[in-house]
Amino acid sequence: MENILAITEFWFGDDPDDVATARQQGKLWWSKNPDLDLRIRQRFETTLLAAEKNQLPDWENTPQGVMALVLLTDQFPRNMYRKTPRSFAFDTLARRFCRSGLQPDFYAALRPIERTFLHLPLTHSELLPDQEQAVALCAALVEQVAPSQKECFSGYLSFAIRHRDIIARFGRFPHRNHILQRQSTPEELDFLQQPGSSF
Protein backbone atom coordinates (compact mmCIF):
# COMPACT_ATOMS: atom_id res chain seq x y z
CA MET A 1 0.00 0.00 0.00
CA GLU A 2 1.17 3.50 -0.88
CA ASN A 3 0.20 6.69 0.91
CA ILE A 4 -1.21 9.95 -0.46
CA LEU A 5 2.13 11.75 -0.63
CA ALA A 6 3.84 8.85 -2.41
CA ILE A 7 1.18 8.93 -5.14
CA THR A 8 1.15 12.68 -5.69
CA GLU A 9 4.94 13.00 -5.58
CA PHE A 10 5.33 10.12 -8.02
CA TRP A 11 3.00 11.85 -10.48
CA PHE A 12 3.85 15.51 -10.03
CA GLY A 13 7.45 15.37 -8.83
CA ASP A 14 8.77 18.01 -6.44
CA ASP A 15 9.15 21.15 -8.54
CA PRO A 16 6.80 23.91 -7.32
CA ASP A 17 6.61 25.47 -10.79
CA ASP A 18 3.68 24.03 -12.77
CA VAL A 19 5.18 24.61 -16.22
CA ALA A 20 8.45 22.99 -15.13
CA THR A 21 6.45 20.10 -13.68
CA ALA A 22 4.58 19.63 -16.96
CA ARG A 23 7.87 19.61 -18.87
CA GLN A 24 9.67 17.27 -16.47
CA GLN A 25 6.80 14.83 -15.89
CA GLY A 26 5.38 14.80 -19.42
CA LYS A 27 7.18 11.61 -20.40
CA LEU A 28 5.68 9.84 -17.40
CA TRP A 29 2.22 11.22 -18.09
CA TRP A 30 1.87 10.71 -21.82
CA SER A 31 4.27 7.99 -22.96
CA LYS A 32 3.20 4.42 -23.79
CA ASN A 33 5.99 2.45 -22.18
CA PRO A 34 5.44 -1.20 -21.14
CA ASP A 35 8.20 -1.02 -18.53
CA LEU A 36 6.61 2.04 -16.93
CA ASP A 37 3.17 0.43 -17.06
CA LEU A 38 4.52 -2.62 -15.23
CA ARG A 39 6.29 -0.47 -12.65
CA ILE A 40 3.07 1.45 -11.92
CA ARG A 41 1.11 -1.78 -11.63
CA GLN A 42 3.62 -3.38 -9.29
CA ARG A 43 3.80 -0.34 -7.05
CA PHE A 44 0.23 0.96 -7.02
CA GLU A 45 -2.20 -1.84 -7.88
CA THR A 46 -2.76 -2.88 -4.26
CA THR A 47 -3.67 0.70 -3.36
CA LEU A 48 -5.96 1.00 -6.38
CA LEU A 49 -7.83 -2.14 -5.35
CA ALA A 50 -8.16 -0.76 -1.81
CA ALA A 51 -9.73 2.40 -3.25
CA GLU A 52 -12.10 0.27 -5.32
CA LYS A 53 -13.20 -1.54 -2.14
CA ASN A 54 -13.74 1.77 -0.31
CA GLN A 55 -10.89 0.97 2.07
CA LEU A 56 -9.41 4.49 1.90
CA PRO A 57 -12.38 6.59 3.08
CA ASP A 58 -10.26 9.07 5.04
CA TRP A 59 -8.53 10.10 1.81
CA GLU A 60 -11.70 11.85 0.66
CA ASN A 61 -11.43 14.28 3.58
CA THR A 62 -8.52 16.29 2.16
CA PRO A 63 -7.76 17.92 -1.21
CA GLN A 64 -4.51 15.95 -1.61
CA GLY A 65 -6.26 12.73 -0.64
CA VAL A 66 -8.90 13.27 -3.31
CA MET A 67 -6.17 14.15 -5.81
CA ALA A 68 -4.42 10.86 -5.03
CA LEU A 69 -7.69 8.95 -5.46
CA VAL A 70 -8.27 10.55 -8.86
CA LEU A 71 -4.77 9.59 -9.99
CA LEU A 72 -5.24 6.07 -8.68
CA THR A 73 -8.56 5.46 -10.40
CA ASP A 74 -8.25 7.54 -13.58
CA GLN A 75 -4.59 7.66 -14.61
CA PHE A 76 -3.01 4.54 -13.17
CA PRO A 77 -5.46 1.98 -14.64
CA ARG A 78 -4.69 3.34 -18.10
CA ASN A 79 -1.10 2.31 -17.48
CA MET A 80 -1.67 -0.85 -15.46
CA TYR A 81 -4.25 -2.37 -17.78
CA ARG A 82 -3.41 -0.70 -21.09
CA LYS A 83 -5.37 -1.98 -24.12
CA THR A 84 -7.76 -3.99 -21.95
CA PRO A 85 -11.34 -3.20 -20.82
CA ARG A 86 -10.07 -2.94 -17.26
CA SER A 87 -8.23 0.25 -18.16
CA PHE A 88 -11.64 1.98 -18.14
CA ALA A 89 -13.21 -0.06 -15.32
CA PHE A 90 -12.58 2.55 -12.63
CA ASP A 91 -13.85 5.58 -14.56
CA THR A 92 -17.16 5.88 -12.69
CA LEU A 93 -15.29 5.84 -9.39
CA ALA A 94 -12.80 8.39 -10.72
CA ARG A 95 -15.64 10.75 -11.64
CA ARG A 96 -16.99 10.46 -8.10
CA PHE A 97 -13.63 11.45 -6.66
CA CYS A 98 -13.32 14.22 -9.25
CA ARG A 99 -16.59 15.74 -8.10
CA SER A 100 -15.40 15.61 -4.48
CA GLY A 101 -12.33 17.54 -5.55
CA LEU A 102 -14.43 20.17 -7.33
CA GLN A 103 -15.99 21.41 -4.11
CA PRO A 104 -14.72 24.99 -3.83
CA ASP A 105 -12.50 24.68 -0.76
CA PHE A 106 -10.77 21.55 -2.10
CA TYR A 107 -10.41 22.92 -5.61
CA ALA A 108 -8.88 26.17 -4.36
CA ALA A 109 -6.25 24.21 -2.42
CA LEU A 110 -4.92 22.45 -5.53
CA ARG A 111 -2.22 23.79 -7.85
CA PRO A 112 -3.32 24.48 -11.43
CA ILE A 113 -1.44 21.43 -12.72
CA GLU A 114 -3.21 19.28 -10.13
CA ARG A 115 -6.56 20.73 -11.19
CA THR A 116 -5.78 19.70 -14.77
CA PHE A 117 -5.57 16.08 -13.67
CA LEU A 118 -8.58 16.46 -11.39
CA HIS A 119 -10.60 17.36 -14.52
CA LEU A 120 -9.46 14.33 -16.52
CA PRO A 121 -12.15 11.90 -15.33
CA LEU A 122 -14.62 14.27 -17.00
CA THR A 123 -12.47 14.46 -20.14
CA HIS A 124 -12.39 10.66 -20.22
CA SER A 125 -16.18 10.37 -19.84
CA GLU A 126 -18.40 9.35 -22.73
CA LEU A 127 -21.17 11.61 -21.41
CA LEU A 128 -21.44 14.97 -23.17
CA PRO A 129 -22.37 16.98 -20.03
CA ASP A 130 -19.15 15.77 -18.40
CA GLN A 131 -17.21 16.81 -21.48
CA GLU A 132 -18.79 20.26 -21.49
CA GLN A 133 -17.90 20.69 -17.83
CA ALA A 134 -14.31 19.62 -18.47
CA VAL A 135 -13.93 22.19 -21.25
CA ALA A 136 -15.44 24.92 -19.06
CA LEU A 137 -13.10 24.08 -16.18
CA CYS A 138 -10.04 24.04 -18.44
CA ALA A 139 -11.05 27.33 -20.05
CA ALA A 140 -11.48 28.94 -16.63
CA LEU A 141 -8.06 27.64 -15.61
CA VAL A 142 -6.42 29.27 -18.64
CA GLU A 143 -7.94 32.57 -17.55
CA GLN A 144 -6.76 32.16 -13.96
CA VAL A 145 -3.10 31.17 -14.42
CA ALA A 146 -0.22 33.60 -14.74
CA PRO A 147 0.62 34.86 -18.25
CA SER A 148 3.77 32.72 -18.30
CA GLN A 149 1.63 29.62 -17.80
CA LYS A 150 -1.11 30.31 -20.33
CA GLU A 151 0.54 28.52 -23.24
CA CYS A 152 0.94 25.34 -21.21
CA PHE A 153 -2.63 25.34 -19.93
CA SER A 154 -4.05 26.32 -23.31
CA GLY A 155 -2.64 23.03 -24.55
CA TYR A 156 -4.67 21.17 -21.94
CA LEU A 157 -7.76 23.14 -22.98
CA SER A 158 -7.22 22.11 -26.61
CA PHE A 159 -6.93 18.50 -25.44
CA ALA A 160 -10.27 18.79 -23.60
CA ILE A 161 -11.96 20.39 -26.62
CA ARG A 162 -10.79 17.56 -28.90
CA HIS A 163 -12.28 15.01 -26.51
CA ARG A 164 -15.53 16.98 -26.21
CA ASP A 165 -15.88 17.27 -29.96
CA ILE A 166 -15.48 13.51 -30.45
CA ILE A 167 -18.20 12.77 -27.89
CA ALA A 168 -20.45 15.43 -29.42
CA ARG A 169 -20.00 13.77 -32.82
CA PHE A 170 -20.13 10.07 -31.94
CA GLY A 171 -21.48 9.79 -28.39
CA ARG A 172 -18.46 7.68 -27.49
CA PHE A 173 -14.74 7.36 -28.16
CA PRO A 174 -14.34 5.26 -31.30
CA HIS A 175 -10.77 4.31 -30.40
CA ARG A 176 -12.15 2.34 -27.43
CA ASN A 177 -14.45 0.23 -29.56
CA HIS A 178 -11.94 -2.51 -30.32
CA ILE A 179 -10.83 -2.79 -26.69
CA LEU A 180 -14.42 -2.87 -25.42
CA GLN A 181 -15.59 -5.18 -28.23
CA ARG A 182 -18.01 -2.59 -29.58
CA GLN A 183 -18.97 -2.60 -33.23
CA SER A 184 -17.67 0.50 -35.02
CA THR A 185 -19.86 2.34 -37.48
CA PRO A 186 -18.55 3.12 -40.98
CA GLU A 187 -18.20 6.78 -39.96
CA GLU A 188 -16.18 5.79 -36.90
CA LEU A 189 -13.92 3.52 -38.95
CA ASP A 190 -13.27 6.38 -41.33
CA PHE A 191 -12.52 8.69 -38.41
CA LEU A 192 -10.07 6.19 -36.90
CA GLN A 193 -7.97 6.40 -40.07
CA GLN A 194 -7.33 10.09 -39.41
CA PRO A 195 -4.26 11.33 -37.52
CA GLY A 196 -4.99 12.23 -33.93
CA SER A 197 -8.15 10.14 -33.67
CA SER A 198 -6.79 8.17 -30.72
CA PHE A 199 -5.39 9.26 -27.39
Side-chain angles (χ1 to χ4, degrees), residues 4 8 58-70 97 110:
I4 292 167
T8 56
D58 292 348
W59 289 27
E60 293 188 69
N61 296 332
T62 67
Q64 287 299 311
V66 169
M67 186 73 256
L69 288 167
V70 168
F97 295 138
L110 297 175

Side-chain angles (χ1 to χ4, degrees), residues 33-162:
N33 183 321
D35 292 335
L36 174 62
D37 291 350
L38 179 61
R39 183 157 60 96
I40 291 174
R41 184 168 184 170
Q42 289 173 335
R43 182 172 176 187
F44 296 108
E45 186 174 37
T46 299
T47 313
L48 168 63
L49 298 179
E52 182 184 31
K53 295 172 185 173
N54 199 33
Q55 294 173 347
L56 307 173
D58 292 348
W59 289 27
E60 293 188 69
N61 296 332
T62 67
Q64 287 299 311
V66 169
M67 186 73 256
L69 288 167
V70 168
L71 294 173
L72 267 179
T73 54
D74 182 73
Q75 292 297 303
F76 290 2
R78 285 166 163 76
N79 291 92
M80 294 180 192
Y81 311 118
R82 191 181 299 280
K83 297 184 179 179
T84 74
R86 193 153 173 76
S87 64
F88 310 116
F90 303 86
D91 283 8
T92 299
L93 189 56
R95 286 195 297 276
R96 189 190 102 194
F97 295 138
C98 165
R99 296 194 187 287
S100 294
L102 289 173
Q103 57 185 300
D105 54 336
F106 278 23
Y107 195 67
L110 297 175
R111 294 166 53 184
I113 197 65
E114 293 174 323
R115 295 178 193 175
T116 296
F117 280 90
L118 183 74
H119 305 160
L120 280 184
L122 302 174
T123 303
H124 290 150
S125 173
E126 292 190 316
L127 300 174
L128 187 56
D130 289 342
Q131 291 291 331
E132 297 287 7
Q133 185 178 15
V135 169
L137 288 165
C138 289
L141 201 53
V142 171
E143 294 301 314
Q144 294 162 9
V145 297
S148 61
Q149 297 179 320
K150 288 191 184 297
E151 182 179 355
C152 176
F153 286 91
S154 292
Y156 299 132
L157 172 59
S158 296
F159 184 76
I161 290 170
R162 285 174 58 206

